Amino acid sequence: MTPFGILEDSIIELAQKAAIEALIDSYTIEFPIDYLIVGTQNPEEFTGQGHLSTLLADYVGVVPAGATRVETGPSSGSSAFESAVALVGAGMADLVLVIGVEKMSQVARNTASKILSRMLSYENEILYGATPTALAALMTRRYMHDFGLTRDELSLIPVKAHRNGAKNPLAQFQKEVSVEQVNNSTIIADPLRLYDCCATSDGAAAAVIASNKAVREYGLSDSVIKILGIGHGTDYLAVQHRTSLTSMNATRVAAKNAFRMAGVEPSNVDVCELHDAFSILELLNMEDIGLVEKGSAIEAVKNGSTDVSGAMPVNSSGGLKARGHPTGATGVAQVRDIVLQLRSNAPKGLQVADPIIGLTHNIGGFGNNMVVGIFSI
Amino acid sequence: MTPFGILEDSIIELAQKAAIEALIDSYTIEFPIDYLIVGTQNPEEFTGQGHLSTLLADYVGVVPAGATRVETGPSSGSSAFESAVALVGAGMADLVLVIGVEKMSQVARNTASKILSRMLSYENEILYGATPTALAALMTRRYMHDFGLTRDELSLIPVKAHRNGAKNPLAQFQKEVSVEQVNNSTIIADPLRLYDCCATSDGAAAAVIASNKAVREYGLSDSVIKILGIGHGTDYLAVQHRTSLTSMNATRVAAKNAFRMAGVEPSNVDVCELHDAFSILELLNMEDIGLVEKGSAIEAVKNGSTDVSGAMPVNSSGGLKARGHPTGATGVAQVRDIVLQLRSNAPKGLQVADPIIGLTHNIGGFGNNMVVGIFSI
């Protein structure tokens, strides 16, 4: 993956850098790539550049491979990964290159927010001024009411994210923050403050998915991480139509499907990357995936379980909050960070002790297009 | 599929109508849909509406199914179909709903052309004023030079398209045209005239892909058409970087892969739908797929082989020219028309005699993202 942040590179250069690194890292650069799958949310409006499937097939040198662009909002990278897994699983491909990329800083921040708000329901939300941040604030308030979560407790989540991000050389924000700094940062949508919300980012990440046959014939086994399961779920588009403000059913469905396919249980997960675009989401995700009991996620944060040195480290990369969130890139970056963990090759100070099973969780629309991946050494 | 043309319906209504019809026609409306795959080129810019995956999952009633939007320019529908086939092939889904949709008439025609031109190479083509039509004209001129194709011969292709379209109750143009009318129509890009170019359209088409298990357990076997193979290929983005102006390598690759997967030969094809966005493409496609020898496609048109009553009927639906070309919908509409043919259920006057093998061919960028599907009873 490239560094995440506000970058000089064009969307094409970002994608190229990540792709070439993935092909080299996976020892597949000399072998035929059957498909390229590109996950990207809205390059047309963020950059004026469309048709990234063919364009990148040409610019990363995989012509005449089939090339497809996949889009599910901010989980576009995970959905691209899922499509690639399906192609290999169906025997339609032996090597698939997946690129997740977004270049969000080319437009003004207000324009970027407007583009991102497209994921909401026009008639039920946008028309009344709702934004993703406002909806996250609503869910935070309800969670505080139902489970007694305090502002100081909520602040522990960005504090942990920044503590990890400070050690991740590719993270957008490589500095620690304190509970006081979070508590006193600008209010974005009450009760959410600046440090509760991920920033606008540019960046790309890439991965190569190989069939068992390709692994064997090309001698790739030394670098392989296994994909055990993948699951995907949706919910009603408008938050007001859903059954809960403190749980996301799309995550529950995605996780259930992924665990069933993988044949493992939530208790088997040793390390995970969860979609913490807003602080509250990290708690919801832990609970909806089944890593902790409903209402008890903050206890796991407080007692250190989710730290790098804890029993169930969450977002050792810094997460969306500190690593950054170039939307279409995030899902593939999560896979990349879990791969590094499972190879025991994470950056200094971020390596979890001997993980065997890793999990990724990416959110598409606001509470939709959840994709959960489960990986093992 | 909905009627194709300039329609009142919104993009959501179009998608809903096609989806509900597909669920009813396939007898799957009462069974759980595991995934929705939406093929659409650029709803954000054509209609202002994004995030169609989740939005349509909600609006067609398949929540909490996984939902993904796939985009490869004008072959987005075929690529969505391919992604759905992969999910079923990998055992990740038993029932997948595929919707191809585009609403192009909401913007001015010049804006639509600009949006469509995004599929070209900016630095090599757009910068110098190239458009898809101009590139098609260049290829037509070269083909005329190399193979002695005449204007009167070329006109036989839209004449056949309109003859078939006149009998297709869902076609955008349900009227016949003569060689003289084609020859005397407005020049768009010399030598291409108005009737050589497909029009701007709105429309949607949908299909349900089922696993063998679902067919068995849900008792669907009476309505099933088998998917034998699917292939996808790309070429260099800019036409000037390719090896030929009279052949598209992406089609050759896609067809080769599809025939290999299907275990059949071009000579086995009984009926096909080819991407005739411009008259010349029908000839190139027939040759590149291997249905006829290089340079001899026009002979097959002249001797009636490609007529509905001929030995190898091409575009019995009217093709992109007469049926219409709402870009993201076309690939799924092609599948739908081949399904009708293989079920011997085509509109009156368009049924081919007892077809066993059918083929679809869809073009994405200008000569890219070719997707070929092969089907049988």
Side-chain angles (χ1 to χ4, degrees), chain A residues 44-368:
Chain A
E44 293 87 353
E45 293 186 285
F46 278 132
T47 73
Q49 180 72 62
H51 212 60
L52 284 193
S53 55
T54 284
L55 188 141
L56 292 180
D58 190 349
Y59 282 57
V60 304
V62 300
V63 167
T68 300
R69 177 260 186 122
V70 163
E71 181 267 319
T72 57
S75 65
S76 296
S78 290
S79 293
F81 188 84
E82 178 187 41
S83 292
V85 169
L87 284 165
V88 171
M92 290 164 68
D94 285 312
L95 286 180
V96 182
L97 174 63
V98 179
I99 304 174
V101 64
E102 212 76 53
K103 172 82 183 174
M104 302 168 75
S105 73
Q106 219 163 299
V107 294
R109 200 175 299 174
N110 280 353
T111 308
S113 294
K114 197 178 155 193
I115 294 170
L116 291 173
S117 283
R118 290 257 168 89
M119 74 180 81
L120 304 183
S121 165
Y122 181 78
E123 59 192 337
N124 295 294
E125 294 170 334
I126 296 175
L127 197 58
Y128 304 99
T131 63
T133 314
L135 294 173
L138 201 71
M139 297 178 87
T140 306
R141 187 61 78 196
R142 184 74 207 187
Y143 191 98
M144 287 173 151
H145 175 271
D146 285 0
F147 301 103
L149 178 75
T150 67
R151 176 64 255 183
D152 276 359
E153 289 175 331
L154 188 64
S155 296
L156 294 173
I157 296 163
V159 165
K160 172 177 68 65
H162 279 262
R163 189 164 61 236
N164 294 342
K167 296 176 184 153
N168 181 349
L170 299 183
Q172 181 164 11
F173 301 108
Q174 300 179 30
K175 62 165 190 177
E176 300 204 22
V177 297
S178 65
V179 168
E180 292 66 35
Q181 280 173 296
V182 176
N183 286 353
N184 296 323
S185 62
T186 313
I187 286 190
I188 305 296
D190 187 38
L192 298 184
R193 291 173 179 268
L194 183 66
Y195 284 111
D196 289 310
C197 312
C198 66
T200 297
S201 308
D202 307 325
V208 176
I209 324 281
S211 67
N212 290 332
K213 176 166 166 270
V215 169
R216 207 168 48 238
E217 290 187 2
Y218 300 152
L220 307 176
S221 57
D222 286 351
S223 61
V224 161
I225 294 298
K226 293 182 198 132
I227 303 161
L228 298 186
I230 194 155
H232 187 156
T234 51
D235 204 339
Y236 302 108
L237 183 61
V239 170
Q240 64 177 273
H241 293 160
R242 301 182 197 158
T243 54
S244 172
L245 281 174
T246 60
S247 167
M248 287 181 160
N249 195 50
T251 294
R252 291 176 171 265
V253 169
K256 196 181 69 178
N257 291 343
F259 282 117
R260 189 199 302 126
M261 184 172 165
V264 300
E265 302 286 329
S267 60
N268 299 125
V269 174
D270 299 310
V271 59
C272 63
E273 290 287 325
L274 309 183
H275 192 104
D276 63 328
F278 303 103
S279 301
I280 190 67
L281 295 181
E282 185 160 311
L283 302 179
L284 263 51
N285 298 338
M286 287 166 63
E287 295 171 359
D288 287 332
I289 292 167
L291 300 174
V292 294
E293 293 292 311
K294 183 78 204 150
S296 71
I298 195 64
E299 287 311 313
V301 176
K302 284 164 77 178
N303 72 24
S305 288
T306 62
D307 291 348
V308 170
S309 59
M312 193 199 46
V314 174
N315 290 331
S316 56
S317 67
L320 281 62
K321 195 76 51 57
R323 181 185 54 212
H325 183 32
T327 53
T330 287
V332 187
Q334 290 179 323
V335 171
R336 179 257 185 196
D337 284 326
I338 288 298
V339 164
L340 289 195
Q341 285 289 352
L342 295 178
R343 286 181 183 167
S344 288
N345 204 18
K348 191 157 184 283
L350 296 181
Q351 181 61 50
V352 168
D354 305 320
I356 294 170
I357 306 275
L359 178 146
T360 57
H361 165 269
N362 196 189
I363 302 183
F366 193 79
N368 260 306

Side-chain angles (χ1 to χ4, degrees), chain A residues 35 54 59 65 67 82 123 369, chain B residues 35 54 59 65 67 82 123 234 369:
Chain A
Y35 278 85
T54 284
Y59 282 57
E82 178 187 41
E123 59 192 337
N369 299 108
Chain B
Y35 278 85
T54 283
Y59 281 56
E82 177 188 41
E123 60 192 337
T234 51
N369 299 109

Side-chain angles (χ1 to χ4, degrees), chain B residues 16 24 44 66 70 76 149-150 154 172 186 211 215 220 271 274 280 295 302 306:
Chain B
Q16 284 177 311
I24 292 173
E44 293 87 353
V70 163
S76 296
L149 179 74
T150 67
L154 187 64
Q172 181 164 11
T186 313
S211 67
V215 169
L220 307 175
V271 59
L274 308 183
I280 190 66
K302 284 163 76 178
T306 62

Side-chain angles (χ1 to χ4, degrees), chain B residues 119-135:
Chain B
M119 72 180 82
L120 305 182
S121 165
Y122 182 77
E123 60 192 337
N124 295 293
E125 295 171 334
I126 295 174
L127 198 57
Y128 303 100
T131 63
T133 314
L135 294 172

Side-chain angles (χ1 to χ4, degrees), chain B residues 324-336:
Chain B
H325 183 32
T327 55
T330 287
V332 186
Q334 291 179 323
V335 170
R336 179 256 185 196

